[in-house]
Amino acid sequence: QVQLVESGGGLVQAGGSLRLSCAASGRTLRRYAMGWFRQAPGKEREFVAAIAWSGGSTYADSVKGRFTISRDNTKSTAYLQMVSLKPEDTAVYYCAVRSSPGGEYDYWGQGTQVTVSS
C-alpha cells in the first residue's frame, strides 16, 4: 500500500498564494506519476495538474499560468504552487499516484481544504 498525506491548505484572500505538499510513503513505487485533483462543494472532482516521474507536467486550462506542479523524487513528495488564487479555486485538493503508466490513479490522499475569500 501507498499512503499519501497532503498539507499546506488554508484560507487565503483572492490574489494570494498557497503551496500544497503531498508526501508518499509505504510500498516502493517505480517511475510513478503524481497528480492533483480538486472537488468543490456540489461539484464533481476535477483534474488540476499532473507530473510524470521525469518531470513532464500537464495542467487543466483553468489553472494554467497560475499553478505549478513539481516533485522531489528523493523525498517522494509532490508540490502544487498556487498563485493569483481566485474564489473559484476553493475546493478540497487531493493528491494521487498513478503506479502504472497509462493506468488509473490508484492511490489517493485524504485531501486538504483550500478556501479563497473574495
Side-chain angles (χ1 to χ4, degrees), residues 2-111:
V2 174
Q3 292 78 45
L4 301 175
V5 178
E6 302 100 333
S7 61
L11 173 64
V12 64
Q13 289 187 332
S17 302
L18 282 174
R19 187 194 194 207
L20 306 183
S21 299
C22 171
S25 62
R27 185 166 70 92
T28 299
L29 300 173
R30 295 188 177 275
R31 308 188 70 79
Y32 55 94
M34 299 185 77
W36 287 96
F37 295 76
R38 66 187 182 186
Q39 187 167 19
K43 295 186 177 181
E44 293 188 353
R45 187 169 58 195
E46 64 175 3
F47 169 77
V48 174
I51 186 165
W53 178 264
S54 59
S57 58
T58 58
Y59 297 90
D61 288 343
S62 59
V63 306
K64 279 182 181 177
R66 299 187 299 120
F67 291 10
T68 303
I69 190 171
S70 60
R71 65 188 293 167
D72 183 340
N73 292 334
T74 65
K75 298 180 179 179
S76 300
T77 300
Y79 306 94
L80 186 68
Q81 179 69 50
M82 307 183 292
V83 302
S84 301
L85 283 161
K86 305 175 182 180
E88 51 263 44
D89 294 318
T90 295
V92 177
Y93 283 70
Y94 298 91
C95 173
V97 161
R98 183 173 64 201
S99 59
S100 301
E104 299 293 324
Y105 282 89
D106 43 0
Y107 298 101
W108 293 83
Q110 293 297 311

